Amino acid sequence: MGHFTRYRGLVIGGVMAVTADLAKLLDRAYEDKSLEEIVKAPVEALSGVSAEDAEMLKKAFHIKTIGDLGRNKFFRAATAMVDLTDSQK
């Protein structure tokens, strides 16, 4: 088990098991793949993202995989701003 620190009742830096049903977010061909395989999958593996959408992401932001999309600084910045705004409500 990983190293962890308890701070005011919160566990920081520990290992936490998380389960999620990603099937609704993915095309059928990727529903049974591991998370590692999904992150390496092309963007069009995401349900609702067409080959044309993927090509535009590639041209505009050099995004080829789901991992590229998740790590893109512009998408991460936008997500952070939305999360901050939502947390103030």
Side-chain angles (χ1 to χ4, degrees):
M1 186 176 269
H3 175 75
F4 64 91
T5 303
R6 188 168 292 277
Y7 175 75
R8 293 186 185 185
L10 299 174
V11 177
I12 302 170
V15 176
M16 180 172 59
V18 176
T19 59
D21 182 9
L22 301 176
K24 293 180 182 178
L25 302 174
L26 300 167
D27 286 343
R28 287 189 183 189
Y30 293 90
E31 288 177 359
D32 295 326
K33 303 288 185 188
S34 71
L35 195 53
E36 186 174 299
E37 291 172 306
I38 292 169
V39 170
K40 293 177 182 177
V43 175
E44 56 265 33
L46 292 168
S47 181
V49 177
S50 69
E52 293 82 16
D53 296 334
E55 187 59 33
M56 286 191 283
L57 286 167
K58 183 178 176 183
K59 284 181 181 178
F61 299 106
H62 307 288
I63 292 171
K64 299 175 191 169
T65 68
I66 292 173
D68 293 342
L69 181 65
R71 293 180 189 103
N72 180 276
K73 66 180 182 179
F74 301 111
F75 290 91
R76 290 179 71 120
T79 299
M81 288 182 248
V82 169
D83 289 345
L84 287 169
T85 300
D86 290 349
S87 70
Q88 294 178 358
K89 292 181 182 178

